[in-house]
Amino acid sequence: MASDDKKNPMRDVKVDKMILNCCVGESGDRLTRAARVLEQLTGQQPVFSKARYTLRSFGIRRNEKIAVHVTVRGEKALEILERGLKVKEYELLQRNFSDTGNFGFGINEHIDLGIKYDPTTGIYGMDFFVCLTRAGARVARRKVRQSRMGIRHKVTKEDAIKWFQDKFEGVVLAQPI
């Protein structure tokens, strides 16, 4: 195979996209303020998510807007991810990583990300979800001449953990402390 000094660039793991989700649980003013927070953080227009079914105990109805999310790609995704991991002190749990090489975590207060506190807005928590991929993954998603991606080229849980530890010098814990 290839020697150690020549590393295959197609095997490099990279961030495909990062999704920021802020679920408020109700429509109205709180949801629009949460959308303003996400827009402030990313500089992109967020999208509203609707409830799939009615839950009387939570007081939500079907098709009622209850959450807001935004998808970020490229360098901006890495920069926001760095700020989010700084809040978590670069510590994630083993269960934060999925078998398909993605990982996610949540923060309780958006002001920890460096956004100035505004009393009219309030404080919102949000979820970060990061999708990792390798170069060449497009062959499985494209429309023309679509083919399957080999099992060795797919990002696994171990690949995602190794990327997180190498890129951010992060710590992966087995159990919460």
Side-chain angles (χ1 to χ4, degrees), residues 48-64:
F48 293 97
S49 301
K50 295 178 180 177
R52 287 186 284 181
Y53 39 82
T54 302
L55 289 172
R56 291 184 67 114
S57 56
F58 290 148
I60 59 171
R61 294 183 305 279
R62 186 171 185 266
N63 288 333
E64 180 183 10

Side-chain angles (χ1 to χ4, degrees), residues 45-97:
Q45 185 69 37
V47 178
F48 293 97
S49 301
K50 295 178 180 177
R52 287 186 284 181
Y53 39 82
T54 302
L55 289 172
R56 291 184 67 114
S57 56
F58 290 148
I60 59 171
R61 294 183 305 279
R62 186 171 185 266
N63 288 333
E64 180 183 10
K65 292 179 180 176
I66 58 167
V68 62
H69 68 273
V70 64
T71 302
V72 188
R73 298 175 193 268
E75 289 299 318
K76 193 188 294 184
L78 280 174
E79 182 240 317
I80 296 170
L81 176 61
E82 177 88 40
R83 286 162 51 184
L85 287 171
K86 197 178 291 182
V87 173
K88 298 295 278 187
E89 297 171 349
Y90 298 97
E91 286 185 358
L92 292 179
L93 299 176
Q94 190 101 30
R95 67 175 185 221
N96 286 86
F97 293 86

Side-chain angles (χ1 to χ4, degrees), residues 2-21:
S3 61
D4 291 333
D5 58 338
K6 290 177 70 175
K7 191 171 177 301
N8 188 352
M10 294 293 280
R11 296 285 298 161
D12 290 341
V13 176
K14 62 182 182 180
V15 174
D16 182 30
K17 61 185 173 181
M18 182 179 71
I19 296 99
L20 290 168
N21 180 44

